[in-house]
Amino acid sequence: MAINRPKGTQDHLPDGSPKLTSDISARAFSYVTDTARRVLERAGASFIATPMFEEAEVVKRGVGGSTDIVRKEMFSVYYFGDHGGYVLRPEGTAGIVRAYLQNGLKQLPTPLKLWTHGPMFRAENVQKGRLRQFHQVDYEVLGSTDPLVDAEAILLMVQVIQGLGLTGVQVKLGSIGDPEDRDRYNSYLRELFTPHVERLSDDSRDRLERNPMRILDSKSQADQALIQELQVRPMLDFLGPEAQQHFEAVRGHLDAWEVQYEVDPSIVRGLDYYRRTAWELHHQHIGAKSALGGGGRYDGLAAQLGGHETPGIGWAFGVERLLLALEQEGVTLPESEGPLLYVAALDPEHIGVAARVALSVRAIGAAEFGYKAQKPGNVFRDAERKRARYAGLIGSDEAAAGTVTLKHLQSGEQQTLPVSELVAYLTGQAAADMPASQALDSRA
Ligand code: AMP
């Protein structure tokens, strides 16, 4: 029986794997999450982790009962003796806001900036860039309605993109107004589409009843053709004075920071809890699934989950989409560093000594040891393959004298020194050798 991973999932593989391609490289994956961590933690965001499954009700209320995600794409979780109504999380925001409310995070200084990354699950039709288990980097800010927070959130997304070295990315900015603005817009759409109901897809007929705005981001070509033909007015035309003012303030900050964006009046985010600012980042060259990420303000969400009114805003990047974009642009990833030391014994009885030497060096850096005795030439060869900075040998002379023979692989310089001095010696050398990129973080 062949063993296969489930449809719509990916293995992210270590360097050297025979089936490795750059979009499933574990190193590229970490490059994305490390870059996001650096940008977001510099901006004061704290890491948060929430469960991968939540009560279905949290997701239903959080994401919205009329969305495709809730209606068609949820993975239910059952376990022995319990049909407890859990689902795998399809996105991060509902769980984070649930955690904020449940754990009294309101006590923390406001606005509270949180970030996370991890797998999300949606039972979608699988295609390139659309998976059933995919990964997101999420950023959420709770406790402020200030448009400055919105602008900073968008800027941080742009800085993650810049930190990754991507260039072909466009920010599309819109506003979906306040609930009363959306009510007016939905009435307009209902009147507009009702005479053409027979031309709408089944899904969109249903949307016409529940939430006509959803029709606008329909995946059906027939729906999209009708939308073009009817020259549907955009949500932006329906903003009330407060939402309008908020939108202009966000734009003012972005302009002042010279963040490039394009106003896209047609933006309708797929999730029900969004208010006012909404945006998406698109990549020019990754085809139909071009959205790298998106975000929006969700002031109504906390109350919808049964908590106290708490304004919020957040965004999510799709990690796999970023990997496709990195591949598409041919961005060179930083090489992973080899260990500081690879040390091996020349005789089986000294393997334990070599291991102890490596374990002590791990206090200051990466160090590996040979599990078998090796000839000196093979120790050097393996150290080079691992791209170690130093190779260490423990022969019987070294074992008897409590020393190690050390070779700096780049210069070929060799010396024997007491094991008791090794850590101090390598610490000094490591500082002297440190690549400029590590001494001073130059990206982002
Ligand atoms: P959303 O939570 O729907 O706003 O999605 C945010 C981002 O996550 C999107 O812009 C995509 O980059 C990514 N994403 C959403 N769904 C999928 C999926 N099924 N497969 C891969 N990436 C996805």
Side-chain angles (χ1 to χ4, degrees):
M1 185 189 77
I3 45 166
N4 291 308
R5 65 183 163 267
K7 188 172 171 192
T9 66
Q10 285 181 330
D11 300 312
H12 290 269
L13 302 170
D15 283 356
S17 306
K19 295 188 178 170
L20 182 67
T21 50
S22 59
D23 59 327
I24 53 164
S25 151
R27 182 156 61 93
F29 192 101
S30 302
Y31 172 63
V32 169
T33 53
D34 291 349
T35 302
R37 176 187 301 275
R38 192 177 60 232
V39 170
L40 298 176
E41 294 191 350
R42 281 183 187 180
S46 304
F47 191 76
I48 184 167
T50 63
M52 261 176 271
F53 57 105
E54 291 279 349
E55 284 185 15
E57 194 56 27
V58 168
V59 173
K60 268 187 204 156
R61 284 204 231 163
V63 177
S66 73
T67 57
D68 279 0
I69 295 181
V70 165
R71 301 185 60 223
K72 299 187 199 161
E73 298 171 1
M74 303 263 260
F75 281 103
S76 294
V77 177
Y78 299 98
Y79 51 91
F80 183 70
D82 188 303
H83 298 267
Y86 296 112
V87 295
L88 293 180
R89 63 182 185 188
E91 53 85 54
T93 309
I96 289 178
V97 174
R98 194 263 317 131
Y100 175 91
L101 295 169
Q102 187 172 2
N103 299 295
L105 301 191
K106 191 185 178 184
Q107 311 285 335
L108 297 179
T110 298
L112 179 64
K113 299 173 177 179
L114 300 168
W115 85 281
T116 195
H117 68 85
M120 306 294 162
F121 306 86
R122 297 180 194 176
E124 304 219 46
N125 287 327
V126 176
Q127 41 185 296
K128 191 169 176 138
R130 181 175 287 166
L131 297 158
R132 292 186 176 165
Q133 175 174 330
F134 59 99
H135 296 77
Q136 287 186 338
V137 171
D138 272 281
Y139 170 75
E140 314 286 347
V141 188
L142 291 151
S144 171
T145 55
D146 193 329
L148 189 53
V149 170
D150 306 31
E152 186 189 23
I154 297 167
L155 172 71
L156 288 171
M157 259 187 133
V158 170
Q159 287 181 332
V160 171
I161 289 294
Q162 288 169 344
L164 289 171
L166 290 171
T167 53
V169 180
Q170 225 177 16
V171 179
K172 297 186 175 188
L173 178 67
S175 170
I176 53 172
D178 287 313
E180 52 282 14
D181 306 335
R182 283 161 73 170
D183 287 347
R184 277 188 287 127
Y185 191 48
N186 273 328
S187 307
Y188 157 77
L189 293 174
R190 217 170 260 126
E191 255 172 57
L192 186 70
F193 282 111
T194 301
H196 307 278
V197 66
E198 76 289 348
R199 288 180 57 193
L200 287 171
S201 65
D202 287 348
D203 280 344
S204 285
R205 278 182 210 172
D206 199 46
R207 292 179 184 123
L208 190 59
E209 305 257 307
R210 293 164 181 264
N211 188 353
M213 265 177 89
R214 293 264 69 74
I215 297 173
L216 302 181
D217 60 2
S218 164
K219 291 168 195 152
S220 143
Q221 280 185 354
D223 290 347
Q224 287 302 332
L226 183 63
I227 290 164
Q228 288 290 323
E229 197 181 307
L230 294 178
Q231 300 190 342
V232 179
R233 287 170 64 198
M235 177 67 231
L236 273 186
D237 284 3
F238 289 75
L239 296 191
E242 286 175 17
Q244 183 67 41
Q245 217 173 33
H246 188 96
F247 187 54
E248 277 159 21
V250 174
R251 293 190 59 183
H253 295 304
L254 292 175
D255 292 339
W257 297 336
E258 297 179 0
V259 174
Q260 305 286 319
Y261 64 90
E262 172 187 306
V263 171
D264 183 341
S266 67
I267 284 220
V268 272
R269 299 279 302 146
L271 311 182
D272 277 358
Y273 51 63
Y274 284 104
R275 302 265 165 95
R276 300 191 175 183
T277 318
W279 69 94
E280 286 172 2
L281 267 66
H282 287 263
H283 195 271
Q284 292 164 348
H285 304 298
I286 61 170
K289 301 290 152 298
S290 71
L292 298 179
R297 178 163 277 291
Y298 50 77
D299 296 343
L301 175 58
Q304 209 162 321
L305 289 178
H308 40 85
E309 288 276 346
T310 310
I313 183 165
W315 53 249
F317 270 121
V319 176
E320 286 80 0
R321 302 265 176 97
L322 290 172
L323 297 180
L324 288 174
L326 288 168
E327 180 189 53
Q328 177 61 235
E329 289 194 15
V331 173
T332 320
L333 302 182
E335 285 293 325
S336 51
E337 263 202 88
L340 182 55
L341 174 71
Y342 174 70
V343 55
L346 306 183
D347 319 286
E349 62 266 39
H350 300 130
I351 293 172
V353 180
R356 269 208 309 282
V357 167
L359 298 184
S360 69
V361 169
R362 285 182 192 169
I364 57 157
E368 297 180 30
F369 57 89
Y371 292 88
K372 290 200 162 61
Q374 294 181 287
K375 294 197 172 74
N378 291 346
V379 179
F380 297 142
R381 182 202 60 198
D382 285 1
E384 260 159 33
R385 276 192 191 154
K386 289 172 186 288
R387 296 188 300 115
R389 219 170 304 162
Y390 291 89
L393 302 178
I394 307 283
S396 36
D397 291 351
E398 285 89 350
T403 58
V404 54
T405 293
L406 203 62
K407 179 175 176 181
H408 186 252
L409 289 162
Q410 209 174 13
S411 65
E413 263 171 48
Q414 206 161 310
Q415 59 180 314
T416 300
L417 76 168
V419 169
S420 58
E421 290 171 18
L422 180 64
V423 167
Y425 175 79
L426 290 177
T427 304
Q429 291 304 306
D433 279 4
M434 188 183 282
S437 64
Q438 282 182 21
L440 183 70
D441 194 350
S442 55
R443 278 183 187 255

